[in-house]
Amino acid sequence: MTGLPHPPGELVNGGPLKDNEKARQIYGNPTVFKKCRADKKFAYVVALARAVNALNSAHSLMMSTTGEDAPAAIRDRMNSYFFVSGILYEALKLIRAMNTVFAGDKSFEGSLRLILKDASGQALEQMHLKSVRHGGVFHFLPDRFAEAIATTPMTECVFASTFGEQKGNIHYTFADLITAEIGVGTRLDDNVVVTQMMEKTLELVKQFVDHSENFIGDQLHGWGFRVLPVALRPAVELPHSSQNQA
């Protein structure tokens, strides 16, 4: 779920890149940036790009722990799914907000708007994404957890798991299992429901990211952005933290 809005080797404005220029930036000069700042659509494209960043980051956490079964790895996979669900719910709200602003835009109509017309995506949003978003990702409401605890089929409580003494390795297992039950809306041992929910969620994420990258690329093309080798412009990064966990 990563990539530039256009195939490698292609500029947003149509020119080729050399094969050995692997690192690229999509760049708008001062004239282009001034034009964007005066266009109300630009803020929506920035918001959409932020949503794609968040989804890609959350999904990468899941992929980085594939095949690992340490408590911290299981925690990261579960929370990756929770965050993906919550972010996707908010991303779908963003697309709805874009409906009026981008009405008549062929790129929008042929990509992102199609997601809103998907019946299975709408059902997933209301049955699972909304409950995870409200119940265990962006809100930590004791009353909501109390409801789930009262109805859980679990008969015993493994509250936490850990491996070794390093701080940060602990997984508060019970809290995540309860959150998963909130999202599923049924027993976690119902493998059919759980599997279908996860598969549909990840498929919807893929559709959203693919459509978003194409749409963002089309908008940047219209404003005059270009893809340049990174070597031509310094990268902008946040300072690295020097603090290590004990």
Side-chain angles (χ1 to χ4, degrees):
M1 297 196 302
T2 59
L4 293 170
H6 288 264
E10 182 179 343
L11 287 183
V12 174
N13 65 343
L17 280 175
K18 296 179 181 178
D19 291 339
N20 62 347
E21 294 173 342
K22 301 298 183 182
R24 299 174 296 281
Q25 290 181 338
I26 302 178
Y27 171 70
N29 62 31
T31 300
V32 170
F33 187 43
K34 182 179 180 180
K35 183 194 306 182
C36 292
R37 294 176 70 171
D39 190 338
K40 67 177 183 179
K41 293 182 178 180
F42 186 59
Y44 286 86
V45 173
V46 172
L48 182 64
R50 174 69 195 110
V52 173
N53 278 347
L55 282 171
N56 278 332
S57 182
H59 185 259
S60 69
L61 183 63
M62 181 188 299
M63 300 305 294
S64 68
T65 60
T66 300
E68 299 181 27
D69 58 3
I74 296 173
R75 176 201 64 204
D76 288 351
R77 278 198 299 277
M78 292 185 72
N79 280 274
S80 172
Y81 179 77
F82 297 153
F83 284 121
V84 161
S85 298
I87 295 165
L88 186 57
Y89 179 79
E90 292 297 318
L92 293 174
K93 288 175 59 179
L94 172 61
I95 297 177
R96 290 192 178 90
M98 295 171 68
N99 259 326
T100 302
V101 179
F102 291 94
D105 185 297
K106 291 183 179 180
S107 179
F108 180 77
E109 298 289 340
S111 58
L112 291 171
R113 198 166 188 280
L114 297 177
I115 295 177
L116 299 181
K117 297 179 179 180
D118 188 303
S120 62
Q122 294 175 10
L124 180 71
E125 178 184 11
Q126 293 304 316
M127 292 177 61
H128 302 298
L129 303 183
K130 183 177 181 179
S131 57
V132 172
R133 187 261 186 231
H134 294 329
V137 177
F138 298 141
H139 297 288
F140 306 108
L141 305 176
D143 289 348
R144 184 66 187 91
F145 284 101
E147 294 174 4
I149 292 168
T151 58
T152 181
M154 287 186 277
T155 59
E156 57 185 1
C157 176
V158 177
F159 198 86
S161 302
T162 189
F163 181 79
E165 300 297 327
Q166 184 176 353
K167 291 182 179 179
N169 278 347
I170 193 167
H171 178 205
Y172 290 108
T173 314
F174 184 73
D176 278 353
L177 291 175
I178 288 295
T179 300
E181 288 188 349
I182 290 173
V184 174
T186 185
R187 298 170 62 105
L188 286 181
D189 57 4
D190 189 337
N191 291 329
V192 174
V193 173
V194 174
T195 300
Q196 287 181 348
M197 179 190 70
M198 294 187 68
E199 288 179 347
K200 288 180 179 179
T201 300
L202 294 178
E203 177 57 31
L204 187 56
V205 168
K206 183 179 184 304
Q207 290 180 31
F208 175 84
V209 172
D210 287 347
H211 285 318
S212 294
E213 290 185 346
N214 289 331
F215 173 76
I216 291 171
D218 288 340
Q219 300 306 307
L220 296 180
H221 177 274
W223 282 313
F225 279 77
R226 302 181 64 215
V227 175
L228 300 176
V230 171
L232 297 183
R233 296 193 55 79
V236 178
E237 294 183 356
L238 294 174
H240 293 288
S241 173
S242 59
Q243 181 179 2
N244 295 321
Q245 286 185 318

